Amino acid sequence: MNKILYKKQLSQDVFLMKLHSPLISQERSAGQFIILQVDDDYGERIPLTIADADPVEGSITIIFQVVGKTTQQLSKLNEGDELPALVGPLGKPTHIEKFGTVVCVGGGIGVAPLHPIAEALKDAGNKVITIIGARNKDLLILEDEMKTIADEFIVCTDDGSYGRKSLVTEPLKEICERNPKPDMVIAIGPPVMMKFCAETTRPFNVFTQVSLNTIMVDGTGMCGGCRVNVANEAKFVCVDGPEFDAHKVDFDNMISRLNSYKEFEKEMHNCYLESEIDRKERGI
């Protein structure tokens, strides 16, 4: 079974876990993800990027934000608990080579999947400029880890509680205006953030790559839940991605599909929280 080796709370709703998974730790590359299941009784399957791996320890690291019932259940597990299902590594690895100057932009929980990619790009000899952002200081994660990798490091918060008060697109635009302009941009975060990063770099014709995190069920391209439109073609994030050319992604369609189950997810989350309160009141 997939035992939880280590757990740490990074911010109010963000958790880091190390999971025992020797085979995945040996096979994974930057950009790939796993799908896990918290309960084995018709439980939801959720995709999470592999933030790090240690083949010697036989562990992989995941970082997740509590946004619904399943992530709430996952956050309640502790070291020594086991997950009934864990599959991976899934998805195509990030293409890594020496591009020149690469700007890595991470928003909120998106900094977690960005970290191994930025690390691999640095190891390949690139100059790495990193921009990380969050709504406020308490929601920033992996600041020290990203700062260690970066040749130039910028922190933004929406409310100005830490770093620069701005959206991540503001410094990104300034960097694109430099001469020479960057050779590549990688943006990972909320879909709206990735959409506007793409719109920021488009006028400068800077190749921009995003990593999409859509609804997924099987992770093999069979269910079609992760379908997105890229250059007017249907692509499946689980097998064709998760990374795509940002200038070719139909973000409006993707955001609309993501919102399809919002009310149902909210209802299930509230039902789960109410049942938890009921169990506590009954001392179960």
Side-chain angles (χ1 to χ4, degrees), residues 18-30:
K18 277 189 176 183
L19 308 177
H20 182 248
S21 186
L23 294 179
I24 297 178
S25 71
Q26 293 168 17
E27 296 297 326
R28 76 96 200 193
S29 296

Side-chain angles (χ1 to χ4, degrees), residues 104-121:
C104 295
V105 187
I109 193 71
V111 178
L114 184 65
H115 175 253
I117 297 172
E119 193 172 46
L121 287 167

Side-chain angles (χ1 to χ4, degrees), residues 146-240:
M146 296 301 284
K147 187 185 292 183
T148 300
I149 297 168
D151 294 285
E152 185 177 341
F153 183 67
I154 301 167
V155 181
C156 304
T157 51
D158 296 0
D159 65 357
S161 54
Y162 187 69
R164 177 171 172 173
K165 183 180 180 181
S166 76
L167 301 175
V168 293
T169 48
E170 194 172 290
L172 176 60
K173 181 174 183 291
E174 293 167 0
I175 293 168
C176 288
E177 289 171 335
R178 292 178 183 173
N179 185 16
K181 63 185 180 183
D183 298 284
M184 182 179 182
V185 170
I186 296 180
I188 307 179
V192 171
M193 185 212 86
M194 293 191 285
K195 172 185 175 180
F196 283 99
C197 283
E199 294 310 312
T200 299
T201 60
R202 192 189 301 276
F204 300 95
N205 196 29
V206 175
F207 176 71
T208 301
Q209 183 170 288
V210 288
S211 180
L212 305 181
N213 190 352
T214 54
I215 296 167
M216 259 180 223
V217 180
D218 58 20
T220 65
M222 296 288 286
C223 74
C226 64
R227 189 177 73 250
V228 291
N229 291 334
V230 180
N232 296 318
E233 291 184 15
K235 297 288 184 182
F236 299 98
V237 171
C238 63
V239 291
D240 296 320

Side-chain angles (χ1 to χ4, degrees), residues 14-279:
V14 178
F15 294 83
L16 177 152
M17 283 183 178
K18 277 189 176 183
L19 308 177
H20 182 248
S21 186
L23 294 179
I24 297 178
S25 71
Q26 293 168 17
E27 296 297 326
R28 76 96 200 193
S29 296
Q32 291 187 295
F33 64 94
I34 51 100
I35 286 183
L36 63 79
Q37 195 171 330
V38 177
D39 63 67
D40 55 7
D41 185 17
Y42 300 103
E44 180 187 26
R45 294 156 58 90
I46 59 170
L48 292 169
T49 300
I50 303 167
D52 201 358
D54 185 342
V56 176
E57 185 183 43
S59 69
I60 60 170
T61 299
I62 58 170
I63 297 175
F64 62 95
Q65 184 173 18
V66 175
V67 292
K69 176 190 171 186
T70 302
T71 45
Q72 182 79 38
Q73 288 176 300
L74 184 58
S75 73
K76 298 296 182 186
L77 298 179
N78 293 301
E79 293 171 11
D81 292 335
E82 295 179 339
L83 297 172
L86 176 66
V87 295
L90 299 170
K92 294 180 178 177
T94 304
H95 175 67
I96 301 292
E97 65 174 65
K98 186 174 181 179
F99 298 102
T101 299
V102 181
V103 185
C104 295
V105 187
I109 193 71
V111 178
L114 184 65
H115 175 253
I117 297 172
E119 193 172 46
L121 287 167
K122 181 67 177 176
D123 290 344
N126 292 283
K127 177 183 178 182
V128 176
I129 302 174
T130 302
I131 306 169
I132 66 170
R135 292 198 305 276
N136 58 60
K137 180 181 178 181
D138 293 337
L139 297 176
L140 286 168
I141 62 169
L142 302 182
E143 180 186 355
D144 291 340
E145 290 83 353
M146 296 301 284
K147 187 185 292 183
T148 300
I149 297 168
D151 294 285
E152 185 177 341
F153 183 67
I154 301 167
V155 181
C156 304
T157 51
D158 296 0
D159 65 357
S161 54
Y162 187 69
R164 177 171 172 173
K165 183 180 180 181
S166 76
L167 301 175
V168 293
T169 48
E170 194 172 290
L172 176 60
K173 181 174 183 291
E174 293 167 0
I175 293 168
C176 288
E177 289 171 335
R178 292 178 183 173
N179 185 16
K181 63 185 180 183
D183 298 284
M184 182 179 182
V185 170
I186 296 180
I188 307 179
V192 171
M193 185 212 86
M194 293 191 285
K195 172 185 175 180
F196 283 99
C197 283
E199 294 310 312
T200 299
T201 60
R202 192 189 301 276
F204 300 95
N205 196 29
V206 175
F207 176 71
T208 301
Q209 183 170 288
V210 288
S211 180
L212 305 181
N213 190 352
T214 54
I215 296 167
M216 259 180 223
V217 180
D218 58 20
T220 65
M222 296 288 286
C223 74
C226 64
R227 189 177 73 250
V228 291
N229 291 334
V230 180
N232 296 318
E233 291 184 15
K235 297 288 184 182
F236 299 98
V237 171
C238 63
V239 291
D240 296 320
E243 295 170 351
F244 296 95
D245 182 340
H247 295 157
K248 297 179 179 178
V249 174
D250 184 344
F251 282 103
D252 291 338
N253 177 271
M254 174 185 157
I255 292 168
S256 174
R257 287 175 59 82
L258 281 171
N259 288 334
S260 298
Y261 299 99
K262 282 286 183 187
E263 287 304 314
F264 180 69
E265 288 175 356
K266 185 178 178 182
E267 182 182 340
M268 292 299 294
H269 191 198
N270 289 338
C271 286
Y272 173 76
L273 293 178
E274 287 170 6
S275 65
E276 282 288 287
I277 293 170
D278 182 54
R279 276 197 288 269

